[in-house]
Amino acid sequence: MTRRLVTQVEDSRMGGFAAAMVTGHQAFLAPDLVEDMRDSGLAHILSISGLHMAIVGGFAFFACRGALALIPVIALRYPIKKLAAGVGMVAVALYLALSGAPAPAIRAAVVAWVAFGAILFDSLRALAIAALIVLLLMPEAVLEPGFQMSFCATAALLALAEVSRNPIRELDVPWWVRGWQGMWHGLKVSVLASTVAGLATTPFGVFYFSRAQMYGLISNLLEAPITGFVVMPALAVGTVLSATPLGTPVLWVAQQGLSVIAAIAGFVADLPGAVLTVAAPPNLALALSTAGVLWMCLIRGQMRWVGLLAALAVIYLPREAAPDFWLDAEGSNAAIRVDGTAYSLRPTVRQYGYQLWLKHYALSDAPLRSAQDYVCKSYVCLPAATAPYRVGFAFGRKAPKPEQIEALCQSADLIVLRSQVIEWPAVCARVNRITASDFERLGAMELTRTKSKDWHIKAAQPLRGRRPWTKG
């Protein structure tokens, strides 16, 4: 189905977008589109999530309820709202099967079932039941950002629904006045819902991704009606009819809507200050912020605002000072921090870990500094006079030649080798060394120079611990 959507949508770029919206497969998404969606705060629509489940289940619910309301015999004798909720739950289950039931889709489906279950039960109690169901199916999900963000956002929206009151409507007003009032009420609800859900998930975005989308409210308000009223209905009908000639014009409508969403994402992502990069807070900040958000959702009355102080912990708790060096887990790359910037010694090797390290400490990349501070040749990098620290590197899998080892020891106080050296020259007797055996035992490392000129090492493997699924 993914391949069919990619090929049948005229614009191949939008074809990959359409496939991601229907099946959740993101292999055909253009990288620049993914970046724009992330920076604009719209990345959540690229995977099968609560938005998709709400649209599919909500469409089935309202269609069924509307159809049953047209039959007086049924409408007057049976609880058609509850019957429609059951149809919505079945529609969500079918869509979950269509998506291949990945973990995010399972969580979204459970939350959608909670929304329908709230017709019969207390909402927040049903949300707790949903969390227990997900944890029974996949207990490891509690540690994933998606689980934490989706359930906190849902709890915040349910709490908002509890305190919100529908406006009093006059019995006899002109249709255009009622339409105007309904439009403003809908806009108010959309702004409140987007703001509350965004604030509830912000602590997790800051902690896990070290970034915050500053204009996410704007992009989501512009995107939501297009997705809900144009894109998803057209994709649903077009996918069903994709094996017939009738599917082409419907998918063309979906393509136009997706093009508008892509334009919105690009416009918002290009705004000045669209993405704020912040250093990741300590683990305690996430625990306090989560407790604060849940307190504000569960406690009623003025006392709920006490949780605001804890919810803001990701903002005011002090950050950990950035280390001076980052070493890849296998010793194949290294990065050096210089004030608020950093650079990688091998710009084409193991960049994923390096980019995560930059984001974690809110450092900016300064690639031109590498050629100034280091002289690299044949996997060996010697520090120049401008280098902030006298640290040398050998990134080859084979041990350096004896003359290369001597050059490293003469120019550096600490040398980092990816390989293991059997015999060290006498000139290296006073030089600190990190070799292959250290990487095997410690994994990735962060090095900080202390005031006493010693090196403090923070290693990944001891923090990870020894588990059946870990190395070492």
Side-chain angles (χ1 to χ4, degrees):
M1 186 174 293
T2 299
R3 293 185 179 277
R4 176 177 291 178
L5 287 171
V6 171
T7 56
Q8 287 196 353
V9 175
E10 294 181 3
D11 186 346
S12 59
R13 190 167 180 263
M14 293 301 103
F17 197 174
M21 295 284 285
V22 174
T23 66
H25 294 284
Q26 302 183 15
F28 298 94
L29 282 170
D32 60 326
L33 176 60
V34 175
E35 192 67 23
D36 286 344
M37 299 294 281
R38 288 174 179 170
D39 291 346
S40 62
L42 296 178
H44 61 91
I45 71 173
L46 293 177
S47 60
I48 305 300
S49 60
L51 171 69
H52 304 73
M53 293 298 177
I55 292 175
V56 171
F59 178 81
F61 172 79
F62 287 111
C64 178
R65 189 180 182 188
L68 293 177
L70 296 176
I71 308 174
V73 176
I74 297 178
L76 297 175
R77 295 184 179 183
Y78 300 99
I80 61 173
K81 186 175 181 180
K82 295 180 181 180
L83 293 175
V87 172
M89 297 178 77
V90 173
V92 167
L94 293 175
Y95 189 46
L96 177 63
L98 172 65
S99 70
I106 293 176
R107 288 193 296 269
V110 173
V111 174
W113 287 327
V114 169
F116 292 119
I119 296 174
L120 302 175
F121 305 103
D122 177 69
S123 298
L124 287 173
R125 185 176 302 161
L127 181 62
I129 295 174
L132 292 176
I133 293 174
V134 173
L135 294 179
L136 287 173
L137 294 174
M138 46 182 74
E140 74 281 2
V142 71
L143 299 177
E144 297 177 0
F147 175 91
Q148 299 168 11
M149 297 175 78
S150 64
F151 275 90
C152 272
T154 305
L157 291 174
L158 291 173
L160 175 64
E162 286 185 350
V163 300
S164 299
R165 295 292 182 267
N166 289 328
I168 300 175
R169 295 183 177 181
E170 297 82 355
L171 295 178
D172 187 15
V173 295
W175 65 268
W176 60 271
V177 174
R178 187 179 298 277
W180 180 262
Q181 292 174 341
M183 183 190 70
W184 281 109
H185 177 67
L187 180 60
K188 174 186 173 182
V189 171
S190 297
V191 171
L192 280 176
S194 297
T195 303
V196 169
L199 291 176
T201 56
T202 293
F204 305 97
V206 171
F207 181 84
Y208 289 109
F209 310 115
S210 301
R211 56 193 292 159
Q213 291 78 21
M214 305 307 295
Y215 306 122
L217 175 61
I218 298 175
S219 58
N220 278 277
L221 287 177
L222 295 174
E223 163 272 328
I226 301 172
T227 301
F229 295 107
V230 178
V231 172
M232 289 303 293
L235 285 177
V237 176
T239 302
V240 173
L241 300 177
S242 60
T244 70
L246 298 176
T248 301
V250 182
L251 289 177
W252 180 86
V253 174
Q255 175 186 328
Q256 305 312 307
L258 291 172
S259 299
V260 174
I261 294 176
I264 293 172
F267 170 74
V268 174
D270 291 337
L271 291 176
V275 179
L276 177 63
T277 303
V278 294
N283 294 339
L284 177 62
L286 182 64
L288 289 176
S289 293
T290 304
V293 171
L294 294 179
W295 177 279
M296 296 175 69
C297 294
L298 300 175
I299 302 301
R300 298 181 179 180
Q302 298 298 322
M303 284 297 295
R304 71 168 52 195
W305 297 109
V306 175
L308 182 61
L309 181 62
L312 297 175
V314 293
I315 297 177
Y316 61 76
L317 280 188
R319 267 55 174 169
E320 181 182 3
D324 297 315
F325 283 84
W326 166 80
L327 303 180
D328 172 67
E330 297 181 359
S332 59
N333 199 1
I336 298 96
R337 178 186 66 86
V338 181
D339 298 326
T341 64
Y343 58 87
S344 169
L345 288 180
R346 305 183 74 188
T348 60
V349 177
R350 298 290 179 124
Q351 289 300 290
Y352 180 71
Y354 170 63
Q355 293 297 329
L356 289 181
W357 185 71
L358 287 179
K359 293 179 180 179
H360 185 77
Y361 293 104
L363 301 173
S364 58
D365 191 15
L368 299 180
R369 183 71 187 262
S370 175
Q372 174 185 337
D373 291 346
Y374 277 86
V375 178
C376 297
K377 184 178 180 181
S378 300
Y379 299 107
V380 176
C381 292
L382 302 177
T386 57
Y389 303 100
R390 287 170 50 85
V391 180
F393 300 90
F395 297 112
R397 292 183 180 274
K398 296 182 179 179
K401 297 177 181 179
E403 58 270 20
Q404 291 176 320
I405 298 178
E406 290 187 7
L408 283 168
C409 294
Q410 291 172 352
S411 61
D413 301 323
L414 168 68
I415 57 176
V416 179
L417 293 90
R418 187 182 184 183
S419 58
Q420 193 69 39
V421 176
I422 304 299
E423 185 175 351
W424 291 89
V427 70
C428 299
R430 294 179 174 272
V431 178
N432 294 314
R433 303 184 287 266
I434 296 177
T435 61
S437 59
D438 298 309
F439 284 108
E440 184 176 354
R441 179 171 54 91
L442 300 176
M445 287 176 262
E446 293 179 341
L447 278 63
T448 303
R449 192 68 178 266
T450 64
K451 294 182 179 179
S452 59
K453 305 300 182 181
D454 296 324
W455 289 100
H456 172 74
I457 299 178
K458 181 180 178 181
Q461 189 62 35
L463 295 175
R464 185 182 297 116
R466 294 187 177 273
R467 303 288 187 272
W469 56 84
T470 62
K471 181 181 178 181

